[in-house]
Amino acid sequence: QSALTQPPSASGSPGQSVTISCTGASSDVGGYNYVSWYQQHPGKAPKLMIYDVNKRPSGVPDRFSGSKSGNTASLTVSGLQAEDEADYYCTSFAGSNTLGVFGGGTKLTVL
Amino acid sequence: QVQLVESGGGVVQPGTSLRLSCAASGFNFRNYGMHWVRQAPGKGLEWVAVFWSDGIKKHYLDSVKGRFTISRDNSNNMLYLQMNNLREEDTAVYYCARDLSYYADEFWGQGTKVTVSS
């Protein structure tokens, strides 16, 4: 149950795009197309933004997109808005006989 | 609409027990995997226990194996987390959540706070 690796911080100006990476291993991110991304504002429950690498739940703006290459998944936020400022966490399925793992989280700042 | 409401948190001493409950409504409970996720103060998210919709498979965080037990009552739409031999490092907000896909939880409760302190 090793945590996925995310940069601790990211930033961008309103209207810009920012990409957050999430690096795992062939046993989790690289081995399955079950990577999800969550947004969390202070004091609030997490909100699912992307699932199954690149799918958006109903109601999530298409400014949010996900992708994966090898053992690294990425979340891209386009057209940054002030309300996008939050913590973002990635997570991945790691096989049917073990628990999934989270990344350590990335604090996104909108400058 | 889907609702998840946790209860049962509180302040307890190390070595004691708590049972968290999560009341679910607005969906066919038995058809979904249900999870407990926790967040220690100032820290990141951590999967604690998952109970898949097959009603059989459960997985636990290594540090809680043998101490925590996840269970569900499909007749009453309830999810539980029995926490025994609590440690100070179990201090966190505990959320219950409903899955959409593997580790993709679309609906979350408001969280219940557990503080383990002597």
Side-chain angles (χ1 to χ4, degrees), chain B residues 2-29:
Chain B
V2 173
Q3 272 201 307
L4 299 171
V5 180
E6 302 97 337
S7 60
V11 181
V12 297
Q13 292 191 329
T16 60
S17 300
L18 269 181
R19 188 175 85 153
L20 305 184
S21 300
C22 173
S25 60
F27 64 100
N28 195 338
F29 182 74

Side-chain angles (χ1 to χ4, degrees), chain A residues 1 38 40 52 91 96 100, chain B residues 39 47 59-60 62 101 103 105:
Chain A
Q1 295 172 345
Y38 292 91
Q40 188 181 34
D52 294 356
T91 187
S96 59
Chain B
Q39 187 168 36
W47 299 106
H59 295 304
Y60 296 92
D62 282 346
S101 179
Y103 298 101
D105 285 3

Side-chain angles (χ1 to χ4, degrees), chain A residues 1 34 36 38 40 44-46 48 51-52 57-58 89 91-93 96-102 104, chain B residues 37 39 43-50 57 59-62 95 100-106 108-109:
Chain A
Q1 295 172 345
Y34 294 121
S36 299
Y38 292 91
Q40 188 181 34
K44 301 293 188 183
L48 182 66
Y51 70 101
D52 294 356
S58 175
Y89 295 91
T91 187
S92 175
F93 182 75
S96 59
N97 294 319
T98 189
L99 197 66
V101 288
F102 272 110
Chain B
V37 180
Q39 187 168 36
K43 301 296 184 183
L45 300 171
E46 194 170 47
W47 299 106
V48 176
V50 302
K57 275 195 173 176
H59 295 304
Y60 296 92
L61 181 66
D62 282 346
Y95 296 99
L100 171 66
S101 179
Y102 287 112
Y103 298 101
D105 285 3
E106 190 177 16
W108 294 66

Side-chain angles (χ1 to χ4, degrees), chain A:
Chain A
Q1 295 172 345
S2 299
L4 306 177
T5 300
Q6 296 181 236
S9 63
S11 63
S13 300
Q16 287 187 332
S17 293
V18 65
T19 297
I20 300 170
S21 62
C22 170
T23 302
S26 57
S27 56
D28 40 61
V29 173
Y32 308 94
N33 288 324
Y34 294 121
V35 176
S36 299
W37 289 90
Y38 292 91
Q39 175 192 68
Q40 188 181 34
H41 288 107
K44 301 293 188 183
K47 177 184 178 183
L48 182 66
M49 305 303 285
I50 295 288
Y51 70 101
D52 294 356
V53 175
N54 56 14
K55 298 177 183 176
R56 275 187 310 276
S58 175
V60 172
D62 59 7
R63 302 185 295 104
F64 291 85
S65 62
S67 62
K68 190 186 83 166
S69 177
N71 296 338
T72 298
S74 299
L75 172 73
T76 298
V77 186
S78 306
L80 270 175
Q81 300 182 3
E83 59 262 35
D84 299 332
E85 185 162 295
D87 293 325
Y88 290 83
Y89 295 91
C90 65
T91 187
S92 175
F93 182 75
S96 59
N97 294 319
T98 189
L99 197 66
V101 288
F102 272 110
T106 298
K107 182 175 181 61
L108 175 61
T109 301
V110 180
L111 302 170

Side-chain angles (χ1 to χ4, degrees), chain B residues 75-117:
Chain B
S75 298
N76 291 300
N77 298 340
M78 294 293 296
L79 180 73
Y80 302 102
L81 186 68
Q82 177 66 43
M83 304 188 297
N84 297 332
N85 191 20
L86 282 159
R87 305 168 180 168
E88 291 193 351
E89 54 265 35
D90 296 319
T91 294
V93 174
Y94 286 73
Y95 296 99
C96 79
R98 191 205 87 173
D99 73 6
L100 171 66
S101 179
Y102 287 112
Y103 298 101
D105 285 3
E106 190 177 16
F107 295 100
W108 294 66
Q110 82 288 354
T112 187
K113 189 173 182 180
V114 173
T115 301
V116 185
S117 174

